[in-house]
Amino acid sequence: MYSNKTFKVTSSSANKVGTTTRKIRKAQAPSSKMIDVEYNDYSSFAKVKLPEINENPTTGNRMKEVSCGVPITLEGRKAQHIYHTRTPSLKRKNDESLADELQRNIRSFGNAQKDDITKTSKRSTICCGSLKKLASVRTNQLDSFERVTKHLPPKTKFTSSEIEVMNLRNEILRAKIELYIKEQIDALNKTIQLQDDTPEVEYEVNQFMDDYEEIDDRSAYKNVHMAEIKDSLMNIRQYCEAMQTMNANLNSEELNKNNTPRSQKKIMNNHSKLNKKPVKEHPRRNFNEQKGNIKVFCRVRPPVLSECEDIADIRFPPYSYGKKISLASIKRNYWGVERETFKEYKFDKVFGASATQEEIFNNVTPIVQSVVDGSNGCIFAYGQTCAGKTYTMQGPQDPTIYNEGMIPRAVRQIFNHVNELKTQGWEYEIEGQFIEIYNDNIRDLLSEDPSNNRGLKFRTIHDEQTGTTMVNKAKTVNLDSVATLNWVLQMAAKNRAVASTKSNANSSRSHSIFMVRLMGTNTITGENRIGTLNLVDLAGSERLSKSGSQGDQLQEARYINSSLSHLKTVIQGIKEKSDHINFRNSTLTWLLKNSLRGNAKVLMFVHISPLESARAETESSLEFARLVNSV
Ligand SMILES: Nc1ncnc2c1ncn2[C@@H]1O[C@H](COP(=O)(O)OP(=O)(O)OP(=O)(O)O)[C@@H](O)[C@H]1O
């Protein structure tokens, strides 16, 4: 028998995540011999290890594994020395209590198992339910689709909107199915491609074979797989055909319905209602059309070497063009502290000092083009003396093909366009007059004897029917070649009145106007077109105080300023769409009447000097241009 001595109890338990912990405790045992009891909480069985048991030499050292609930006996003896290991203070229990304990354990274990089974079965019932629901929804969908497509009652009357909705639904469904089929075909194609004996496929097949050694015929596997793919393709083709017949049926039914006289009438009514709907004009398009008539561009002249110490702080686009230009000025506050402020001006386009003559001209070509097509156009060069107006319009004194001005470029473009139109039966007559307005009087710049100008009274004549203007008694040149054009430009440059002022030794004190008239007739259609292009180089806009003019020059400056101010008023009136615009106030505005109003396209080029000493004039020019632009 075991005596009451210390013995060792080993217990192991596992937590929720399955980590097992082993505990070894020492306790008083009734035996002087050590026994090992291993008790597993989780599986409810106990291992009882008997160390050397001298009392029973027949059993020796042994381990006996017993299930819970079974009374533990060790070699015929009842296991009365088994201790419950879950209680920290180990109590000796008799066989009955141990049996109870084990039974309780197995009951709780059984209950836990039962719970688990119930939960799983509940979950599977829910899954089954939702699967059933899904299946029924799918069946319903298919049913309704078939009802709509195949079994439409023949005498049902549909409104056109219902048919439209059905059509749309059908379209969507068709698209979805097509997409699905496409995806399927793509996937299949990929699989078929993979069937080729690429190394990857070989590898995959081998892997498969290794895994399933029982399939010894590899080619058989491949064949089976291919047969499956072929079957799927057949199915898809059949599906496609079925869809096509369904659509055809649906379309024919729709046609039948729409062919009845009543439905035809309804459809016609719907169409006429749609056509009667007022078409709303896009506000932006409207704005562009209104704004398209008068535009303002700004160009900054580059400084020459001698002007390098007098450069104003003007910010303009560094390359080509932008829309903004800002002028810096130093402002001093009450305490005498200076601060630099910028005044910003926004125009349709701003060309920096690096802009080339070609770039400038490319931006005015639409106007030139429209003149050939029978509209009127007018381009002004405005700005103070020495700001680059003549350079823009005519080019430098000895121009090359690269720096020639707008006038020669425009006339050449007209020549080119007219030549192109010859193939369509158009024949054009192009004539030009080059005049200047000096002290509000017209002078002919193409006269070979300028002294004759003094005795002649030039008059502006407007033809209201054709919308053209001409100056009587001024020389009219038939612009039929580049050579004539060159002669015109040279003659005008020679005759242009130049007076010396304090600002610019070669300053032109008159407005020069190159008037090009185009008369086109189409020999095939008999159509006529008349267009006029006026290219105006305005006199310098500097203020009287600045120019330091006296006597004749003061008189010149007064006429210049007054005509520019009238021009401003007229442009304002045009932009504001005034009922009465007084063009007669100055010779300049009267001459340009037809080129400013109506559908005429007007472009004002405001020229800016880069010099600090010209800051006040620059500001005044920019303000004038802003006014023209903003009205
Ligand atoms: N963009 C430019 N590039 C190079 N040089 C230029 C440019 N603009 C003007 N110039 C030069 O600046 C000088 C003055 O230009 P221009 O005679 O055209 O000024 P303007 O405004 O017509 O003067 P005015 O009102 O007195 O006739 C000329 O020598 C001209 O060649």
Side-chain angles (χ1 to χ4, degrees), residues 45-62:
F45 69 82
K47 279 180 187 172
V48 182
K49 190 181 168 190
L50 288 179
E52 298 152 283
I53 305 171
N54 295 328
E55 291 93 334
N56 192 351
T58 49
T59 50
N61 237 354
R62 73 191 65 167

Side-chain angles (χ1 to χ4, degrees), residues 14 20 40 290 369 416 490:
T20 315
N40 193 327
Q290 282 171 15
Q369 192 86 13
N416 291 340
Q490 278 167 15

Side-chain angles (χ1 to χ4, degrees), residues 299-304 307 352-357 360 381-397 403 496 498-499 501 503-510 537-542 607-608:
R299 186 181 191 183
V300 184
R301 163 175 86 78
V304 291
E307 296 168 338
S354 60
T356 61
Q357 295 282 72
I360 299 284
Y382 175 87
Q384 67 180 105
T385 295
C386 209
K389 301 182 296 292
T390 311
Y391 186 88
T392 298
M393 298 313 279
Q394 291 181 34
Q397 270 183 353
N403 60 12
R496 194 156 184 203
V498 174
T501 66
S503 303
N504 182 3
N506 291 311
S507 173
S508 36
R509 310 304 301 143
S510 63
D537 181 0
L538 294 169
S541 60
E542 60 279 356
H607 288 80
I608 300 299

